[in-house]
Amino acid sequence: MTILLTAEEMRRAEAAAIADGHSGAAMMEAAGEGVAALIKRGWDKRAVAIACGPGNNGGDGFVIARHLKEAGWSVRVGSLGERTALKGDAASMAGRFDGDIEPLSPTVFDGAGLIVDALFGAGLSRPLEGETASIVSAMNNHAAPVVAVDIPSGVNPDSGAVAGDAVRAARTGTFFTKKPGHVLFPGRAFCGAVDVLDIGVKPAVFQEIKPKTAENTPQLWGGAFPRPTFQSHKYSRGAAAVFTGPRFATGAARLSAIAALRAGAGLVTLVSPMSAADENAAHATALMVKIAENAEHVAELLRDPRIRAALIGPGAGVAPATMDKVLAILNDETAAVLDADALTSFENAPEPLFDALNPDDIITPHEGEFMRLFTGLIESPKARLSAARAGAQKAGCIVVLKGPDAVGAAAGGRASVLDGEPPDVAAAGAGAVLAGG
């Protein structure tokens, strides 16, 4: 399941399940039993310390404690706050645990071979401080691995932000779907491996919630990917034009063009000034080479009906001439991908670009390019999901905000987050390959 639910959307999903006859207590039991099973699969028997918070996340912790104790594990449970202050299902689950429940302090972790963070999960909306901050620090400084319930305490479930400190988990068991905070940095670095556990909520609730955020995996887009058949040929697979910079500034565009070929385009043409044509021809074997000195030449070249997509930006140069070429591409019906210099060229006057972009056009900025283009319009790209959405809304196109958790957003609010981009791509030319692919 690729859908990512915010904390509020998850509450609505749970409420819908309860309205459909699935009790909150049953979901809490399923959650705790699922995490206990996860622990038993991942570790051999050892002393476990479980830190339970004052809400439903703590209730999950009491269920985990009961199931592990019944399986013969040594369990020590600490509760944050007075046990008598527990309410509802959490109080009920605490009552069903037949072991001792002591006040939570760092001493609860003494001798533990595994720690369970059932403090707050997705229910925390403020920075950790005081006693809870000390407890989280003790968890993080302990030699034992930590299993987080739902999401590590201190990580914002919607943005992945960490204000102050957060639990650093080796593994996280979450429920029904992942949350954006599991895949957005810095939260992703605190979660460890993430397992999605069934608590009885049915996918039919998506029809009511209408979520707009998903994890970017082949499961999301694979069915629409234009895979070649035995009858395919180079003209049926689509042609693309990649515009290069001047002489000695063509390498990034060639990387983009090669990526377009590998992604499935049947024909890819490198389009450059005459001064760079021999340079491109000497390097490119499977790529065609054509000449376009100015915007008029660009417009003329794009009249070829076979060209379905055009990319400009890598190595193009920050200049009025680049702006003119970009606008010539956008004034054509060809699908456009704009990267790097094609964006920065408009930093002092973005409105002509925004006016020319179409909803299916794509811009692929990294954080620096994003801020140059949206200066004064968007406060910061650090809240990457909301920033990408705001950028897409302002520009009227698809924004791919590059980074280790690349966020793609459409003007209508739909967004996806890439979880798993390796650090190997932190190298010159990686953005050009992304734009070409």
Side-chain angles (χ1 to χ4, degrees), residues 10-33:
M10 187 63 200
R11 284 190 285 271
R12 289 168 56 197
E14 291 173 340
I18 291 172
D20 198 38
H22 196 61
S23 72
M27 286 190 285
M28 186 174 288
E29 179 69 26
E33 185 176 5

Side-chain angles (χ1 to χ4, degrees), residues 9 16 43 49 63 104 124 149 156 158 160-161 165 168 175 183 200 211 216 254 265 288 337 353 364 392 397 417:
E9 288 170 338
W43 288 272
V63 177
L104 182 58
L124 187 69
V149 179
N156 185 297
D158 297 341
D165 200 5
R168 295 184 178 275
F175 313 116
V183 295
N216 185 352
R254 283 198 302 277
M288 296 181 293
V337 179
L353 174 64
T364 59
C397 69
V417 183

Side-chain angles (χ1 to χ4, degrees), residues 23-33 52 55-67 77 83 86-99 101:
S23 72
M27 286 190 285
M28 186 174 288
E29 179 69 26
E33 185 176 5
C52 294
N56 286 344
N57 201 247
D60 298 338
F62 293 121
V63 177
I64 295 166
R66 169 161 47 85
H67 281 278
V77 179
R83 178 174 174 176
L86 294 170
K87 297 178 181 179
D89 295 329
S92 175
M93 296 306 175
R96 293 180 62 185
F97 176 63
D98 64 359
I101 300 175

Side-chain angles (χ1 to χ4, degrees), residues 111-207:
L114 185 72
I115 296 172
V116 176
D117 164 31
L119 287 172
F120 301 108
L124 187 69
S125 58
R126 62 184 187 280
L128 297 169
E129 56 187 17
E131 181 185 9
T132 53
S134 298
I135 289 167
V136 168
S137 178
M139 284 189 197
N140 290 339
N141 290 322
H142 201 284
V146 179
V147 174
V149 179
D150 197 10
I151 196 166
S153 296
V155 174
N156 185 297
D158 297 341
S159 68
V162 174
D165 200 5
V167 171
R168 295 184 178 275
R171 200 167 198 96
T172 297
T174 194
F175 313 116
F176 185 45
T177 71
K178 288 183 183 178
K179 315 307 179 290
H182 291 122
V183 295
L184 290 164
F185 278 103
R188 175 175 140 194
F190 287 76
C191 294
V194 180
D195 294 84
V196 179
L197 306 174
D198 180 15
I199 58 171
V201 181
K202 303 301 181 186
V205 301
F206 294 141
Q207 299 300 319

Side-chain angles (χ1 to χ4, degrees), residues 127-319:
L128 297 169
E129 56 187 17
E131 181 185 9
T132 53
S134 298
I135 289 167
V136 168
S137 178
M139 284 189 197
N140 290 339
N141 290 322
H142 201 284
V146 179
V147 174
V149 179
D150 197 10
I151 196 166
S153 296
V155 174
N156 185 297
D158 297 341
S159 68
V162 174
D165 200 5
V167 171
R168 295 184 178 275
R171 200 167 198 96
T172 297
T174 194
F175 313 116
F176 185 45
T177 71
K178 288 183 183 178
K179 315 307 179 290
H182 291 122
V183 295
L184 290 164
F185 278 103
R188 175 175 140 194
F190 287 76
C191 294
V194 180
D195 294 84
V196 179
L197 306 174
D198 180 15
I199 58 171
V201 181
K202 303 301 181 186
V205 301
F206 294 141
Q207 299 300 319
E208 177 182 337
I209 297 171
K210 295 180 171 57
K212 289 189 172 183
T213 311
E215 190 174 357
N216 185 352
T217 71
Q219 185 181 352
L220 178 66
W221 45 261
F225 190 81
R227 302 180 187 280
T229 67
F230 290 113
Q231 289 76 37
S232 297
H233 51 81
K234 62 185 177 183
Y235 295 112
S236 68
R237 295 181 65 181
V242 177
F243 292 84
T244 86
R247 191 174 182 85
F248 305 132
T250 61
R254 283 198 302 277
L255 287 171
S256 299
I258 292 168
L261 276 178
R262 291 189 177 181
L267 293 166
V268 179
T269 301
L270 283 167
V271 185
S272 71
M274 177 63 76
S275 63
D278 57 347
E279 183 177 307
N280 283 322
H283 284 85
T285 301
L287 306 171
M288 296 181 293
V289 178
K290 291 190 177 181
I291 307 301
E293 298 285 357
N294 52 44
E296 289 75 17
H297 294 165
V298 170
E300 182 178 351
L301 182 140
L302 293 180
R303 292 193 185 102
D304 183 341
R306 295 173 299 178
I307 298 177
R308 301 181 187 176
L311 164 64
I312 186 170
V318 178

